[in-house]
C-alpha cells in the first residue's frame, strides 16, 4: 500500500509491533541496577506487586462491563521505555501485549509539542493492531514524572463489551474489513491536569451502543491508575527515583535470565500440534493453524509456517503479536508459573510466521474473531507443551481447559430503559483440563483469564433483560480420561421484561471438538446453541410446571416430549446477533476441560461417584469407561468391570493397523471441497516468505 509522504506518520507503525521483547537498558537503568541491594529489591518486588494487585481489584470494583466486573483485567507498572515490568492478572496475554500501545505513545506522542506526556495526563487506546487481540480489548495508562524525569507508566487493559462495530458485543461475525469492527483508536490523550476531557468522552460514548458502560469502564481504569500512582510516588519519595528505575529494569532482567535457564533444562526436540477451526465467523469452513514448537538450547521457537492463507474479508484473522500474546497463557500460567509475568519471558522465545497467513494479519483485513484463532493455537500450545515438559516435570503436563469460547453477545435496551451491549459472564465458567493424578477442576474459570469469575445469576438478572432458567453442570460436558476434565456449565436464558433483545454467539468447535485430550484422554464435546422462538415458556412458568428442564442434558430427550414448545433451532457457536422477543429462550453449553490418560485406566469408583452426582451418563460409564454396576444399589461389580475392560482392550488391538498402513489410508481421505474454500492447498496450505522473530 502506497502512503502519501506527508501522511506517513498517520499510517500503522509496523516497527512498534515487533518490539515485544524488553527495550535495551538505558545507561541510567544499568547504573541504578548496580546500586540495588538484594533485600531492598525483594521488598520492592513485593510492594509493586501489591500496588498492581490493588489496581486490578479497584478496576474490577468500579467498572460496569461484564468482563471488567468478573476479572478480565490486567493491571501493571511499565518502565519509562514502555515495558510491562510488574503485572497483576490472570489474563496473561496482556503481560506481553499491553506494552505495545505504551511504546507507541512514547515514540509518537511523548515529544510531540501538540501532545506531550506530563503528570496528570491519561491516554486511552483500543486499536487491535497495537493491542494484539481485537477492538473490545481497551486500555488506559498514565505517566509518572519525578522532578521532570519520566520514571514509569501505570495502566489497565480490560475487555469492554461493546466497541461500536456493525454488530453488537465487540465481536463482529459479518465483518468484511477492519472498518466494520468499530472503534480503532491508537493511543490518544483523553485527559490532562488530572481532568478528563468531556469532548473526547462524548465522542467515545457516541461511538458505542452502551455509552454508560464505555465511560464507566474508562473511568474505572483511570481511578485505579491514580490510586496506584499515589502509592508509587510515596515509594519513590522513600527510596528515590534512581532506585525505582533500576529495580523496574532488574525485574525484566532477572525474568529473562531465569526463563532461558528454565528452557535450557528441557529436552531438545520438535513438538508438532496442528490445530483446525470449523468457522471463518459467518460460515462453516475448515482452516488449519500449523504449529510446531522447536526447543533448542535455551530457546523455544514457535513455528507457524504452513497455516491457512490470509482471509481478506472474514474476521478470524489474527495479528502475529496476538498469537504470541496467547502463548503467555500457557507460559505464564503453567511453564513459567514461578516467574514474574512480563515481556522479559520473551527473551527465551522466538517465532516464525508466513507472510500470507491468517495468523499474521496484514492490511485492512478484519480481526474481531481473532480470539477464536488465538485460543485454537493455545490449545495446541498446551498439547505440545505437555509432551515437551513431561520428561522433566510431569506435574506441569496438563490437559487444556475448554478453548471454544461459547460467548453469548447481546444488545438492546434493558428493563430499566438503558441502552446496553455486552457479553454474558459464562465464558468464565469452563472446566479445567485433567492433570497427573487428579481430575480437572469443575467450572474453573476461563483458561485465558484464570482469576476470573462467572458472576452471580442475580447480578446479571438485576440489570439485564434475562431470566435464568438454569445454570449448572451437565453430564459428559468434559473430556473423558483416566483423569477427566473439569465439568463445564450449561445455562438457559429467557428474554424477560423487554419486547426484544438482539442475541448472538461467538466461538468455534460446533462441528468437531475444540478441546482435545492428551496422553489418550478424550476431547471435550462440541458445543452449539439451541434457541426456541415463540416459546410457551412464560405460560409454563406461570403454571409452575415441574417438568421443565433444569439441566442442559434434559433438553435433548429421546422421547420427543419436550414441555417447551415453539420454533426450535440449533446453531453454531459462531452466529450473528438476531432479534429475540419476550419469552423466547436461548440455551448455551460452555463445556469442560480435556481428558488426561486412557479412560479404561480410570478408577471405577470415581466413575460411579460421577454417576451418582449426575456428572457422567450411564451410557458413557458403560461404553467409555467399561464399568459394570448394580443399577439399583450403584455398587461396583469389580470382576465384571475387569473382564469388560480386558475385552475392550482386545477389541482395540483387533482394530489396530501398522502405522504405514494407517498413514496411507489417512492420506486418501479428503474433506468435502465445499469447506476448503479458505483452507489453501490441501492437505498442506504452505506459503512462502517466512517472517522471523529470532533475536
Amino acid at each position: 500500500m502506497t502512503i502519501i509522504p506527508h501522511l506517513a506518520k498517520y499510517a500503522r507503525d509496523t516497527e512498534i509491533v515487533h518490539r515485544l521483547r524488553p527495550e535495551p537498558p538505558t545507561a541510567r537503568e544499568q547504573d541504578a541496577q548496580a546500586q540495588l541491594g538484594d533485600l531492598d529489591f525483594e521488598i520492592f518486588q513485593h510492594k509493586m506487586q501489591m500496588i498492581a494487585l490493588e489496581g486490578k481489584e479497584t478496576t474490577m470494583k468500579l467498572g460496569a462491563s461484564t468482563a471488567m466486573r468478573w476479572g478480565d483485567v490486567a493491571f501493571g507498572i511499565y518502565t519509562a521505555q514502555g515495558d510491562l515490568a510488574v503485572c497483576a492478572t490472570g489474563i496473561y496475554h496482556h503481560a506481553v501485549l499491553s506494552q505495545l500501545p505504551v511504546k507507541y505513545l512514547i515514540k509518537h506522542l511523548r515529544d510531540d509539542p501538540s501532545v506531550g506526556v506530563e503528570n496528570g495526563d491519561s491516554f486511552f487506546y483500543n486499536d487491535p493492531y497495537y493491542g494484539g487481540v481485537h477492538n473490545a480489548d481497551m486500555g488506559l495508562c498514565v505517566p509518572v514524572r519525578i522532578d521532570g524525569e519520566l520514571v514509569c507508566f501505570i495502566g489497565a487493559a480490560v475487555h469492554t463489551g461493546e466497541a461500536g462495530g456493525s454488530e453488537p458485543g465487540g465481536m463482529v461475525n459479518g465483518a468484511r474489513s477492519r472498518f466494520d469492527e468499530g472503534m480503532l483508536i491508537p493511543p490518544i490523550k483523553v485527559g490532562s491536569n488530572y481532568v478528563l476531557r468531556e469532548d473526547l468522552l462524548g465522542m467515545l460514548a457516541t461511538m458505542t451502543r452502551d455509552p454508560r458502560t464505555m465511560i464507566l469502564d474508562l473511568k474505572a481504569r483511570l481511578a485505579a491508575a491514580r490510586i496506584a500512582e499515589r502509592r508509587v510516588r510515596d515509594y519513590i519519595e522513600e527510596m528515590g527515583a534512581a532506585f525505582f528505575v533500576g529495580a523496574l529494569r532488574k525485574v525484566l532482567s532477572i525474568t529473562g535470565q531465569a526463563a532461558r535457564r528454565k528452557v535450557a533444562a528441557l529436552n531438545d526436540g520438535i513438538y508438532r500440534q496442528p490445530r483446525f477451526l470449523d468457522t471463518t465467523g459467518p460460515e462453516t469452513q475448515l482452516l488449519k493453524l500449523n504449529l510446531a514448537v522447536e526447543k533448542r538450547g535455551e530457546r523455544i521457537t514457535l513455528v507457524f509456517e504452513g497455516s491457512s492463507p490470509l482471509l481478506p474479508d472474514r474476521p478470524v484473522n489474527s495479528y502475529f503479536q496476538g498469537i504470541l500474546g496467547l502463548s503467555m497463557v500457557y507460559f505464564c500460567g503453567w511453564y513459567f508459573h514461578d516467574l514474574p509475568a512480563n515481556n522479559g519471558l520473551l527473551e527465551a522465545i522466538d517465532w516464525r510466521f508466513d507472510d500470507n497467513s491468517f495468523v499474521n494479519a496484514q492490511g485492512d483485513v478484519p480481526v474481531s474473531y481473532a480470539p477464536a484463532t488465538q485460543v485454537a493455537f493455545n490449545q495446541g500450545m498446551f498439547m505440545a507443551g505437555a509432551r515437551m515438559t513431561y520428561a522433566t516435570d510431569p506435574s506441569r503436563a496438563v490437559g487444556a481447559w475448554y478453548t471454544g469460547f461459547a460467548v453469548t453477545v447481546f444488545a438492546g435496551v434493558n428493563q430499566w430503559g438503558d441502552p446496553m451491549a455486552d457479553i454474558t459472564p459464562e465464558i468464565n465458567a469452563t472446566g479445567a483440563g485433567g492433570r497427573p493424578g487428579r481430575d480437572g477442576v469443575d467450572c474453573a474459570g476461563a483458561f485465558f483469564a484464570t482469576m476470573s469469575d462467572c458472576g452471580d445469576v442475580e447480578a446479571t438478572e438485576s440489570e439485564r433483560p434475562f431470566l435464568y432458567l438454569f445454570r449448572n453442570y451437565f453430564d459428559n460436558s468434559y473430556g473423558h480420561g483416566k483423569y477427566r476434565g473439569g465439568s463445564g456449565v450449561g445455562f438457559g436464558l429467557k428474554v424477560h421484561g423487554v419486547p426484544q433483545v438482539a442475541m448472538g454467539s461467538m466461538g468455534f468447535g460446533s462441528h468437531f471438538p475444540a478441546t482435545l485430550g492428551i496422553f489418550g484422554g478424550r476431547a471435550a464435546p462440541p458445543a452449539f446453541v439451541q434457541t426456541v422462538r415463540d416459546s410457551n415458556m412464560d405460560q409454563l412458568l406461570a403454571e409452575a410446571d415441574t417438568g421443565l428442564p433444569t439441566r442442559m442434558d434434559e433438553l435433548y430427550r429421546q422421547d420427543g416430549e419436550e414441555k417447551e414448545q415453539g420454533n426450535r433451532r440449533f446453531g453454531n457457536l459462531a452466529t450473528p446477533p438476531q432479534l429475540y422477543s419476550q419469552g423466547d429462550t436461548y440455551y448455551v453449553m460452555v463445556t469442560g476441560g480435556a481428558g488426561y490418560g486412557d479412560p479404561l485406566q480410570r478408577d471405577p469408583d470415581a466413575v460411579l461417584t460421577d454417576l451418582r452426582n449426575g456428572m457422567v451418563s450411564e451410557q458413557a460409564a458403560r461404553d467409555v469407561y467399561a464399568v459394570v454396576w448394580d443399577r439399583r444399589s450403584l455398587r461396583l461389580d469389580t470382576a465384571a468391570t475387569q473382564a469388560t475392560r480386558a475385552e475392550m482392550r482386545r477389541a482395540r488391538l483387533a482394530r489396530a493397523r501398522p502405522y504405514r498402513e494407517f498413514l496411507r489410508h489417512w492420506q486418501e481421505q479428503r474433506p468435502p471441497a465445499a469447506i476448503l474454500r479458505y483452507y489453501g492447498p490441501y492437505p498442506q496450505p504452505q506459503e512462502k516468505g517466512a517472517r522471523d522473530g529470532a533475536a
Side-chain angles (χ1 to χ4, degrees):
M1 180 174 62
T2 302
I3 301 296
I4 301 172
H6 69 278
L7 297 179
K9 71 176 183 177
Y10 302 115
R12 282 178 162 175
D13 188 334
T14 57
E15 184 269 338
I16 282 290
V17 296
H18 289 278
R19 288 163 58 180
L20 287 161
R21 297 189 181 96
E23 300 295 307
T26 65
R28 177 166 171 74
E29 287 175 329
Q30 290 176 322
D31 292 342
Q33 279 190 79
Q35 308 301 318
L36 299 179
D38 290 342
L39 179 58
D40 285 338
F41 178 66
E42 289 293 327
I43 295 172
F44 166 85
Q45 284 187 289
H46 177 73
K47 285 194 172 184
M48 292 305 109
Q49 196 63 44
M50 291 300 100
I51 291 171
L53 183 60
E54 181 185 27
K56 172 178 175 286
E57 295 295 326
T58 302
T59 308
M60 292 172 59
K61 295 283 192 300
L62 298 178
S65 66
T66 295
M68 185 171 284
R69 288 184 299 165
W70 306 123
D72 191 348
V73 176
F75 191 95
I77 304 171
Y78 306 76
T79 69
Q81 294 177 278
D83 292 307
L84 180 60
V86 179
C87 183
T89 184
I91 184 161
Y92 290 114
H93 55 271
H94 289 308
V96 300
L97 292 178
S98 65
Q99 78 267 13
L100 293 179
V102 182
K103 291 181 178 182
Y104 175 98
L105 77 87
I106 291 170
K107 178 179 179 180
H108 294 283
L109 306 180
R110 181 186 60 185
D111 299 323
D112 189 295
S114 69
V115 184
V117 173
E118 301 295 338
N119 286 330
D121 290 346
S122 49
F123 294 84
F124 174 84
Y125 37 83
N126 88 309
D127 188 338
Y129 186 68
Y130 303 110
V133 185
H134 63 159
N135 307 52
D137 282 347
M138 306 179 188
L140 181 142
C141 71
V142 303
V144 179
R145 285 186 177 273
I146 302 294
D147 297 328
E149 178 191 7
L150 180 63
V151 296
C152 72
F153 289 85
I154 298 170
V158 190
H159 177 105
T160 289
E162 166 60 15
S166 59
E167 296 173 11
M171 293 160 283
V172 182
N173 181 285
R176 305 297 295 270
S177 79
R178 67 187 178 108
F179 304 109
D180 294 320
E181 296 177 325
M183 298 190 307
L184 293 167
I185 301 176
I188 181 174
K189 185 184 289 190
V190 294
S192 58
N193 296 319
Y194 298 97
V195 177
L196 287 169
R197 287 186 51 176
E198 286 298 323
D199 55 345
L200 293 180
L201 294 186
M203 180 189 73
L204 294 173
T206 304
M207 293 170 70
T208 71
R209 294 173 178 83
D210 192 341
R212 170 183 171 273
T213 295
M214 179 71 197
I215 299 305
L216 285 178
D217 277 10
L218 187 152
K219 290 183 175 180
R221 296 181 185 94
L222 179 57
R226 291 299 181 211
I227 292 172
E229 179 187 358
R230 290 200 297 271
R231 304 278 190 261
V232 166
R233 287 184 179 278
D234 289 345
Y235 187 76
I236 292 175
E237 185 176 349
E238 175 187 353
M239 300 298 296
F243 176 91
F244 182 84
V245 168
L248 270 189
R249 165 54 64 173
K250 186 172 182 178
V251 172
L252 292 166
S253 301
I254 65 172
T255 299
Q257 294 164 8
R260 292 194 298 273
R261 286 196 302 270
K262 195 161 187 176
V263 169
L266 295 170
N267 292 331
D268 286 356
I270 300 176
Y271 307 87
R272 303 185 189 278
Q273 191 59 60
R275 295 289 291 121
F276 298 89
L277 282 86
D278 61 359
T279 183
T280 66
E283 59 195 322
T284 297
Q285 289 288 317
L286 188 67
L287 299 172
K288 182 178 184 180
L289 194 161
N290 200 37
L291 171 66
V293 180
E294 298 181 0
K295 190 274 170 180
R296 294 283 184 267
E298 60 178 18
R299 305 192 80 84
I300 290 172
T301 302
L302 306 179
V303 183
F304 298 89
E305 296 161 347
S307 298
S308 289
L310 193 73
L311 281 68
D313 59 354
R314 295 294 184 270
V316 294
N317 299 290
S318 170
Y319 296 119
F320 84 92
Q321 57 269 33
I323 294 285
L324 297 176
L326 262 290
S327 74
M328 289 299 109
V329 173
Y330 170 76
F331 284 117
C332 291
W334 275 264
Y335 185 60
F336 295 135
H337 62 96
D338 50 354
L339 300 181
N342 60 52
N343 61 318
L345 298 173
L346 289 178
E347 297 285 10
I349 311 295
D350 296 322
W351 50 88
R352 295 202 301 271
F353 291 81
D354 288 327
D355 280 334
N356 181 27
S357 171
F358 85 115
V359 292
N360 185 15
Q362 299 173 26
D364 293 334
V365 300
V367 297
S368 59
Y369 263 44
T373 300
Q374 292 166 5
V375 302
F377 148 70
N378 196 257
Q379 159 77 49
M381 190 67 242
F382 267 84
M383 298 178 72
R387 300 196 301 274
M388 181 173 65
T389 59
Y390 188 83
T392 54
D393 187 1
S395 69
R396 312 309 299 180
V398 301
W401 298 28
Y402 173 62
T403 55
F405 267 140
V407 183
T408 302
V409 301
F410 57 85
V413 175
N414 69 9
Q415 63 268 44
W416 309 110
D418 297 324
M420 57 162 200
D422 209 332
I423 61 176
T424 64
E426 283 74 26
I427 185 178
N428 295 336
T430 72
R435 51 204 162 140
R438 301 186 70 179
D439 292 342
V441 177
D442 298 328
C443 191
F447 85 94
F448 62 90
T450 50
M451 302 300 289
S452 60
D453 189 5
C454 62
D456 300 319
V457 165
E458 293 80 6
T460 300
E461 290 180 336
S462 69
E463 60 181 14
R464 306 303 192 194
F466 304 123
L467 178 68
Y468 277 85
L469 303 174
F470 59 82
R471 188 178 79 173
N472 47 35
Y473 302 137
F474 61 103
D475 63 22
N476 302 325
S477 65
Y478 47 79
H480 300 294
K482 179 178 181 180
Y483 302 106
R484 66 165 176 83
S487 179
V489 160
F491 67 99
L493 298 175
K494 181 183 77 70
V495 177
H496 185 71
V498 295
Q500 286 185 323
V501 175
M503 297 181 68
S505 182
M506 179 267 188
F508 69 103
S510 294
H511 296 272
F512 52 80
T515 307
L516 307 181
I518 60 171
F519 305 143
R522 296 202 179 184
F528 50 90
V529 176
Q530 179 180 161
T531 63
V532 184
R533 295 179 184 274
D534 301 319
S535 170
N536 63 337
M537 183 57 69
D538 279 338
Q539 176 185 346
L540 295 172
L541 290 173
E543 296 171 352
D545 195 301
T546 59
L548 291 176
T550 58
R551 290 163 47 107
M552 184 62 68
D553 46 284
E554 295 175 8
L555 294 172
Y556 305 98
R557 297 171 59 99
Q558 300 297 316
D559 56 19
E561 295 184 1
E562 293 90 352
K563 290 278 188 178
E564 183 181 13
Q565 299 297 313
N567 185 6
R568 192 179 304 272
R569 291 287 185 270
F570 301 92
N572 295 340
L573 288 178
T575 301
Q578 303 173 36
L579 288 176
Y580 291 84
S581 300
Q582 162 73 34
D584 291 348
T585 55
Y586 201 93
Y587 301 98
V588 184
M589 55 182 72
V590 183
T591 60
Y596 179 104
D598 187 347
L600 293 185
Q601 295 181 325
R602 184 165 178 77
D603 182 352
D605 287 328
V607 176
L608 292 183
T609 297
D610 283 342
L611 189 62
R612 293 186 189 97
N613 294 334
M615 303 292 272
V616 70
S617 66
E618 289 191 1
Q619 180 182 12
R622 181 185 65 244
D623 298 340
V624 176
Y625 293 107
V627 172
V628 182
W629 69 95
D630 181 270
R631 296 298 178 89
R632 295 183 61 185
S633 65
L634 286 182
R635 292 175 64 88
L636 176 68
D637 187 330
T638 302
T641 297
Q642 292 174 346
T644 302
R645 289 184 167 185
E647 178 57 33
M648 190 173 286
R649 292 187 177 98
R650 286 192 290 271
R652 286 179 177 177
L653 290 173
R655 296 193 302 270
R657 301 181 183 184
Y659 179 70
R660 289 186 178 180
E661 181 182 337
F662 163 78
L663 190 61
R664 184 174 62 254
H665 174 75
W666 181 256
Q667 290 176 337
E668 293 171 355
Q669 309 301 308
R670 185 181 180 89
I675 65 170
L676 295 177
R677 191 186 320 164
Y678 301 96
Y679 183 93
Y682 186 84
Q684 301 297 340
Q686 296 185 9
E687 299 289 343
K688 295 181 180 180
R691 178 168 294 170
D692 198 334

